[in-house]
């Protein structure tokens, strides 16, 4: 048996000795034709670890996706088997956990995705034009949704309105991209020419083909890392609106309920909750009342 790996100066698990995994090399048919041995037992361990850390329920059809994404972590850390890499995670706490979570989270997003939500949101903002609005977007991904929210607020309330958005995600990598606010022009095709001119600066020279969100957009947003399944959310004041879109589909029913109860606690009575098009919380009528297509009001 190999000794427990040490931690590198970068905070990652040190590579395990290659010979430590020789016994694993012939275990199971899932290993055939792949760079690393990959067994049903490995997948079950990944399922348990990501559920424990992020509340994500990986169904059995995700074998190929998990192998592909975590293989990159094995190459990066120098481990020669999933068996040893997962054993290190199970016995340590450090930066590699964040990389593990980053690898297994999905970040599909676009500007003004599910357009009807932004129309409802704008109408809601106009009901209190002088109000100090506090909004939370808890699946910020690479920033398209948070910037869409702020653009909507500026259009509805004016440039000098009192509006603050907290944008969070569990994936530190995409959160850094969001805070940077730089996008390929191809990814901005969904924006009208007026919004492009008003809210973005086109790059020149070596930055041609790129665009950056203007400072007035970025100033309205505070980016932070928040794990929805942990009961340590850092908020001191309640929110008027919460965007929690296309997140709950990755949670099982008990986890969904716990997260909804926590959102209920940080949302003002009468506050609005926007969820994804495939999400339905009719079982939580004691917490939220349906007010439109995937739009709920806090009871």
């Amino acid at each position: 048996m190999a000794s427990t790996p040490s931690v590198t100066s970068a905070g990652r698990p040190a590579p395990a000795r290659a010979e430590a995994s020789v016994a694993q090399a012939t275990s199971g048919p899932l290993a055939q034709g792949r760079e690393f041995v990959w067994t049903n037992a490995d997948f079950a361990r990944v399922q348990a670890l990501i559920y424990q850390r992020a509340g994500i329920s990986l169904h059995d059809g995700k074998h190929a996706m998990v192998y592909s994404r975590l293989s990159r972590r094995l190459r990066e850390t120098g481990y020669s088997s999933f068996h040893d890499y997962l054993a290190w995670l199970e016995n340590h706490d450090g930066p590699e956990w964040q990389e593990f979570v980053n690898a297994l989270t999905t970040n599909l997003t676009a500007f003004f995705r599910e357009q009807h939500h932004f129309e409802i949101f704008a109408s809601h903002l106009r009901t209190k034009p002088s109000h100090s609005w506090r909004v939370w977007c808890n699946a910020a991904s690479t920033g398209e949704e948070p910037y869409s929210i702020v653009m909507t607020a500026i259009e509805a309330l004016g440039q000098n309105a009192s509006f603050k958005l907290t944008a969070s995600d569990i994936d530190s990598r995409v959160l850094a991209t969001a805070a940077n606010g730089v996008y390929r022009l191809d990814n901005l095709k969904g924006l009208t020419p007026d919004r492009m001119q008003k809210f973005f600066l086109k790059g020149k020279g070596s930055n041609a083909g790129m665009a950056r969100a203007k400072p007035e957009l970025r100033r309205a947003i505070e980016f932070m890392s928040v794990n929805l399944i942990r009961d340590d959310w850092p908020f001191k004041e309640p929110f008027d609106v919460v965007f929690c879109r296309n997140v709950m589909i990755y949670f099982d029913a008990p986890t969904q309920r716990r997260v909804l109860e926590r959102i209920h606690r940080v949302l003002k009575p009468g506050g609005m909750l926007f969820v994804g098009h495939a999400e339905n919380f009719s079982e939580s009528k004691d917490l939220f009342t349906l007010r439109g297509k995937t739009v709920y009001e806090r009871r």
Side-chain angles (χ1 to χ4, degrees), residues 44-299:
R45 289 169 79 188
V46 172
Q47 285 179 304
L49 289 171
I50 195 64
Y51 183 80
Q52 163 199 322
R53 201 74 175 193
I56 295 172
S57 294
L58 287 174
H59 63 74
D60 290 341
K62 296 290 187 181
H63 264 276
M65 181 272 283
V66 171
Y67 174 86
S68 174
R69 294 187 181 183
L70 287 186
S71 290
R72 299 170 198 162
R73 296 310 312 147
L74 266 66
R75 296 185 199 103
E76 179 70 20
T77 59
Y79 273 91
S80 58
S81 77
F82 283 96
H83 177 273
D84 294 340
Y85 173 72
L86 296 173
W88 190 92
L89 285 177
E90 288 167 343
N91 291 285
H92 294 79
D93 198 6
E96 184 56 30
W97 267 108
Q98 183 65 62
E99 298 295 341
F100 174 78
V101 171
N102 289 355
L104 294 179
T105 48
T106 300
N107 298 285
L108 177 63
T109 187
F111 286 97
F112 292 96
R113 187 182 183 194
E114 298 181 47
Q115 174 64 35
H116 73 283
H117 277 169
F118 296 97
E119 295 166 2
I120 295 170
F121 178 54
S123 297
H124 185 56
L125 293 174
R126 292 189 191 104
T127 64
K128 297 179 182 178
S130 59
H131 180 67
S132 293
W133 289 93
R134 296 189 74 252
V135 178
W136 179 24
C137 168
N138 61 30
S141 188
T142 47
E144 287 88 341
E145 183 170 305
Y147 290 119
S148 298
I149 292 169
V150 176
M151 283 187 268
T152 301
I154 291 174
E155 291 171 347
L157 301 172
Q159 188 71 54
N160 298 318
S162 179
F163 181 91
K164 189 68 180 176
L165 175 67
T166 298
S168 70
D169 204 284
I170 194 173
D171 186 331
S172 60
R173 181 187 58 245
V174 296
L175 205 56
T177 298
N180 198 31
V182 176
Y183 301 93
R184 298 185 61 83
L185 287 175
D186 288 347
N187 295 338
L188 298 172
K189 286 181 177 177
L191 298 182
T192 63
D194 180 61
R195 279 176 174 156
M196 272 296 302
Q197 182 177 11
K198 187 175 182 181
F199 297 115
F200 287 86
L201 297 168
K202 289 186 179 180
K204 297 178 181 178
S206 62
N207 294 318
M210 309 294 287
R212 180 187 289 274
K214 286 187 176 180
E216 52 264 39
L217 281 186
R218 289 153 60 206
R219 276 197 300 266
I221 308 175
E222 179 185 13
F223 292 97
M224 65 172 63
S225 178
V226 175
N227 186 332
L228 293 180
I229 70 163
R230 291 190 179 175
D231 202 10
D232 59 355
W233 296 356
F235 312 124
K236 294 184 174 138
E237 296 179 48
F239 294 100
D240 301 285
V241 177
V242 172
F243 281 76
C244 183
R245 306 195 307 168
N246 306 302
V247 180
M248 298 288 200
I249 54 174
Y250 299 105
F251 298 154
D252 59 15
T255 305
Q256 286 182 1
R257 175 68 190 194
R258 288 194 297 272
V259 173
L260 283 173
E261 288 173 350
R262 290 169 186 165
I263 290 175
H264 186 269
R265 291 202 296 267
V266 302
L267 191 56
K268 293 178 182 177
M272 304 295 285
L273 171 64
F274 293 85
V275 303
H277 68 279
E279 297 167 325
N280 185 314
F281 303 122
S282 57
E283 298 299 317
S284 294
K285 291 180 180 176
D286 57 318
L287 302 176
F288 297 96
T289 303
L290 187 64
R291 291 298 185 213
K293 185 180 177 183
T294 55
V295 180
Y296 291 82
E297 180 181 325
R298 193 256 203 212
R299 293 175 65 91

